[in-house]
Amino acid sequence: MSLIVQKYGGTSMGSVERIEHVAGKVAQTRAQGHQVVVVVSAMSGETDRLLKLAKAVNPRGSEREFDQIASTGEQVTIGLLALALDKRGVKARSYTGPQVAIRTDSAYGKARIQQIDDKRLRADCEAGVVPVVAGFQGVSPDGSTATLGRGGSDTTGVALAAALKADECQIYTDVDGVYTTDPRVEPKARRLDKVTFEEMLELASLGSKVLQIRSVEFAGKYKVPLRVLSTFVDGPGTLITLDEDNGRSAVEDPLISGIAFNRDEAQITVVGVPDRPGVAAAVLGPVGDANIEVDMIVQNVAGDATTDFTFTVHRNDFDRAHEVIKRVAADLGAKGVRTANDICKVSLVGVGMRSHAGIASKMFKALASDGINIQMISTSEIKISVVIQDKYLELAVRTLHKAFNLEQARA
Ligand code: ASP
Ligand code: MG
């Protein structure tokens, strides 16, 4: 017998019929002899609706009150699922985050879990009762309800699995796993049986939105085996694991796990800045002060006494960043500022890169064969990212998918 935490997302809880379906799946897991703790999201669209109501009344209202309102979506679905389980003869009990108690800090709207009291959940499991816990929420030090940030139910699931030392945390969603890339761009994209936490973090932060990033960090830190599966289609899903060799044969050793991309980038270049200590700080300091997140940064080796300095930001921040940089460039006596809004980022991710040379050149050759010009390159141990013109995004993803044989199953 194992202890399994199952988390069901908003689409899975989207209607009475779907909640009945989820109850059937939980009942099935119980019937196989496992202990189950369930975590649920609000019905899809509900959290948006609640926040819209709150903001219609007072757009500048307090985060505490927004959380009070937004957290109610999950309070409804826990009760509904407990009722549906009960109807099937499965003993169940619903809990809000505060009732568990899941203790958080008081950063309303983006609270972090600090401690979980697992007594009631353990007692229920021992007594054959399925606890159904509201995702996305906990209780702040002063006793108020605090939410964990959008998509936070994933984090609740992982945190409960860590606290209970569960054998697996299963995240049920509307896709049947993590794919080599977005199937809407490359129909030959393939579900991965396994991916490492590190790879998943890169894929998630690079724009493949299957899991809340924080939940992946949490699972990696506490070594919780995490599996992404579909609520609607039976299958093994994707296991997110610590083990780099797990499931990969030495012979076929796949170098690349997936291709992530991000369409929402914009690029700013300060041309001809003096090459002396402190310039990078002088350029990026004011951008940070304006609360704008910088993604890639490239500074060339200076040929003469000046150099070019290029960085990318989210497209939403572009106008603000541009204003800041125009001032900075003038202060520094730079030759000018160049910008590009029509760019995107495409990244290859894979732990196999650590032990294999030649992946970057293979990537660049493949892009060149399609006449795609690379504007910026950045690398980490398990990732190579390029900035290209956004009209080439689909072509680049498909070309790389083919070049690295990603449609072929791992052995
Ligand atoms: N219901 C919350 C949201 O929509 C939390 C979640 O679904 O994970 O963000
Ligand atoms: Mg979600």
Side-chain angles (χ1 to χ4, degrees):
M1 184 180 65
S2 355
L3 171 59
I4 298 171
V5 173
Q6 297 187 332
K7 182 260 167 178
Y8 291 92
T11 318
S12 311
M13 301 299 288
S15 65
V16 167
E17 292 72 32
R18 288 184 175 185
I19 290 172
E20 297 276 7
H21 176 72
V22 166
K25 291 185 73 77
V26 174
Q28 203 181 2
T29 314
R30 280 289 296 140
Q32 288 160 2
H34 303 298
Q35 291 180 336
V36 191
V37 173
V38 183
V39 174
V40 299
S41 289
M43 290 179 155
S44 53
E46 182 63 6
T47 310
D48 287 338
R49 189 186 72 86
L50 291 166
L51 284 170
K52 214 167 125 201
L53 279 179
K55 290 190 173 150
V57 174
N58 184 353
R60 280 177 301 280
S62 89
E63 295 287 340
R64 179 190 179 276
E65 302 309 327
F66 290 162
D67 277 6
Q68 187 82 297
I69 296 161
S71 61
T72 60
E74 275 77 8
Q75 187 163 347
V76 172
T77 47
I78 51 171
L80 291 173
L81 181 58
L83 289 174
L85 284 166
D86 187 57
K87 193 169 74 179
R88 281 171 174 68
V90 177
K91 282 189 238 149
R93 242 181 112 110
S94 65
Y95 297 99
T96 64
Q99 284 169 346
V100 166
I102 297 172
R103 301 189 193 284
T104 69
D105 58 20
S106 48
Y108 298 105
K110 49 175 188 308
R112 289 195 172 254
I113 296 176
Q114 294 185 324
Q115 194 229 323
I116 293 178
D117 184 349
D118 60 4
K119 270 199 297 297
R120 299 177 89 166
L121 305 181
R122 281 193 193 281
D124 280 349
C125 286
E126 290 308 316
V129 174
V130 175
V132 182
V133 179
F136 176 56
Q137 56 181 267
V139 60
S140 75
D142 78 359
S144 307
T145 300
T147 72
L148 309 179
R150 300 308 304 271
S153 299
D154 291 342
T155 299
T156 305
V158 172
L160 286 183
L164 296 164
K165 302 199 172 50
D167 295 281
E168 194 165 287
C169 179
Q170 302 178 338
I171 306 280
Y172 284 91
T173 176
D174 48 2
V175 294
D176 67 345
V178 179
Y179 275 67
T180 49
T181 196
D182 186 338
R184 282 168 301 189
V185 170
E186 171 51 278
K188 290 190 192 127
R190 189 174 44 80
R191 182 184 55 77
L192 294 162
D193 287 328
K194 290 184 176 159
V195 65
T196 69
F197 281 108
E198 270 181 299
E199 289 171 327
M200 189 61 218
L201 274 179
E202 292 289 2
L203 292 170
S205 63
L206 293 169
S208 122
K209 296 184 189 68
V210 191
L211 286 170
Q212 197 200 29
I213 291 176
R214 206 196 271 183
S215 73
V216 182
E217 284 167 1
F218 210 102
K221 188 163 159 203
Y222 293 97
K223 303 188 170 42
V224 178
L226 195 59
R227 191 183 291 277
V228 177
L229 325 93
S230 162
T231 308
F232 309 106
V233 188
D234 286 335
T238 299
L239 181 67
I240 300 155
T241 151
L242 279 172
D243 187 356
E244 292 197 358
D245 302 320
N246 214 344
R248 303 180 188 209
S249 95
V251 191
E252 303 228 356
D253 195 11
L255 305 176
I256 304 303
S257 294
I259 304 169
F261 54 83
N262 184 353
R263 296 177 199 269
D264 305 319
E265 301 243 341
Q267 188 182 50
I268 299 181
T269 303
V270 196
V271 185
V273 283
D275 180 40
R276 56 174 157 77
V279 165
V283 172
L284 292 179
V287 177
D289 292 343
N291 250 323
I292 297 169
E293 220 179 292
V294 171
D295 182 20
M296 271 197 209
I297 304 171
V298 171
Q299 186 207 290
N300 206 346
V301 181
D304 47 30
T306 67
T307 184
D308 294 348
F309 194 97
T310 302
F311 62 94
T312 63
V313 295
H314 194 283
R315 241 177 246 186
N316 293 344
D317 293 328
F318 172 73
D319 288 336
R320 281 198 308 133
H322 192 190
E323 284 311 310
V324 171
I325 285 301
K326 277 195 279 197
R327 278 201 305 277
V328 170
D331 291 349
L332 285 172
K335 290 189 192 120
V337 177
R338 232 183 9 239
T339 62
N341 226 328
D342 58 343
I343 56 151
C344 67
K345 181 170 77 170
V346 178
S347 308
L348 284 183
V349 175
V351 288
M353 276 183 207
R354 282 205 180 104
S355 45
H356 285 82
I359 294 186
S361 60
K362 184 169 173 183
M363 178 185 194
F364 304 154
K365 244 184 242 154
L367 294 173
S369 72
D370 279 334
I372 299 172
N373 188 38
I374 300 170
Q375 304 185 14
M376 290 171 85
I377 300 169
S378 93
T379 64
S380 79
E381 247 195 315
I382 66 162
K383 177 188 78 178
I384 306 171
S385 302
V386 296
V387 167
I388 59 175
Q389 252 193 313
D390 60 2
K391 67 178 179 196
Y392 292 126
L393 182 125
E394 278 81 5
L395 179 62
V397 169
R398 285 188 216 121
T399 295
L400 294 173
H401 204 267
K402 186 150 195 289
F404 286 90
N405 262 323
L406 290 178
E407 66 260 41
Q408 237 133 72
R410 279 173 176 176

